[in-house]
Amino acid sequence: MTTMATMNLTSFNPGFFILVGIPGLEQFHIWIGIPFFVIYLVAVASNGILLYLITMDHNLHEPMFFFLSMLASADLVLCTTCVPKTLGIFWLKAQKITFPGCLTQLFFLHFSFFLDSAILLGMAFDRYMAICCPLRYTSVLTPKTIIKIMMGIVGRSLGVILPVVFLVKRLPFCKARIIPHTYCEHIGVARLSCADISINIWYGFAVPVMTIISDLVLIGVSYILILQAVFHLPSRDARQKTLSTCGSHVCVILIFYAPAMFSVLTHRFGHNIPRTFHIMFANLYVAIPPALNPIIYGVKTKQIREKVILLLFSKGMK
């Protein structure tokens, strides 16, 4: 009888999960939602403007801006995957999410994460070619090559994340389907299963870490070579100008990788970190970088800054 009861409680396709929100701060959900809503609006508006400018202005049809448009698209996917549902939990108590909806959210969350990392690596390669091999830049980074690189970026991200979806889909769920979070992520969902999730834990830790570390090593090598080339430039003005062009990319790299590494390591080893802090940090991670990235590029990149000013003032004059 016990076995039959367990079988009845076990489901490989549970009807829905309950997303709690931020445990311990439920009474503040309405107020916490306000800054998240503002940040989300900034992210959508700034990335939308960036994509519009790059699409419409032929002067921005260069490799660096193609990578930047891809980063803006990935950031829009990242914040839109999580923030609207989070606001629904905070303001409307819409805590239920279906199992297919949970898998979809999980897929796009992790897919956009790996996509961002690969795009930043592509942008580092672009800066390396522009600064270290300027005479070969246009011959190497042709439109055909850029398309191949973009397809490789998407293909690698899909190859890393698709196994995660199948690893979760195969699990039986016989525990309470309550997720103490604002969105579905791999390990948080897997821990609700009554089966052995060792492969989920190790894949969910080893693959992101290896992917991030390999990307960081290659980005680091690119910037070591870039700095060597910069400091061999004869003119101080040329050195400052070249470093300025890389400044925005370095800021975005730090904003992305620092919290990403913290989040991955916390999932595996951070048992002493309060859950409230971890979940709040995880929510900030999916909201703030997408809002800051286009602003950083808008401030630091002259071509974009001029186009944004022209767009805003031309609209205002009309």
Side-chain angles (χ1 to χ4, degrees), residues 14-24 26 29 89 95-97 99 102 173-193 275 279:
F16 59 86
F17 292 100
I18 299 294
L19 292 166
V20 172
I22 304 177
E26 287 87 353
H29 275 175
I89 295 168
Q95 296 178 309
K96 286 187 179 181
I97 185 169
F99 184 59
C102 193
F173 293 90
C174 53
K175 299 179 182 178
R177 294 159 196 158
I178 299 174
I179 303 174
H181 212 311
T182 57
Y183 53 78
C184 295
E185 51 84 27
H186 176 209
I187 300 301
V189 176
R191 282 180 176 149
L192 299 179
S193 173
R275 179 181 288 176
I279 294 173

Side-chain angles (χ1 to χ4, degrees), residues 56-190:
M56 301 301 294
D57 195 322
H58 291 284
N59 294 324
L60 299 181
H61 290 182
E62 299 176 5
M64 181 180 75
F65 297 110
F66 286 134
F67 285 120
L68 187 52
S69 65
M70 202 172 183
L71 182 68
S73 300
D75 282 343
L76 281 173
V77 171
L78 177 62
C79 63
T80 302
T81 296
C82 300
V83 178
K85 180 60 181 176
T86 299
L87 293 175
I89 295 168
F90 288 167
W91 290 346
L92 305 175
K93 305 295 182 184
Q95 296 178 309
K96 286 187 179 181
I97 185 169
T98 63
F99 184 59
C102 193
L103 281 179
T104 302
Q105 190 179 53
L106 181 153
F107 169 80
F108 282 108
L109 169 68
H110 295 295
F111 173 69
S112 57
F113 170 81
F114 290 116
L115 203 61
D116 270 358
S117 182
I119 294 166
L120 290 175
L121 176 58
M123 295 174 81
F125 176 68
D126 170 79
R127 291 300 83 203
Y128 164 77
M129 289 300 301
I131 294 167
C132 299
C133 309
L135 298 178
R136 298 176 55 202
Y137 181 77
T138 54
S139 62
V140 172
L141 289 175
T142 61
K144 189 174 181 180
T145 302
I146 295 297
I147 291 172
K148 288 180 180 179
I149 292 173
M150 289 180 170
M151 289 175 64
I153 287 171
V154 174
R156 192 196 76 165
S157 303
L158 283 172
V160 172
I161 189 55
L162 282 177
V164 171
V165 176
F166 290 109
L167 284 173
V168 173
K169 193 171 176 60
R170 72 182 176 89
L171 294 173
F173 293 90
C174 53
K175 299 179 182 178
R177 294 159 196 158
I178 299 174
I179 303 174
H181 212 311
T182 57
Y183 53 78
C184 295
E185 51 84 27
H186 176 209
I187 300 301
V189 176

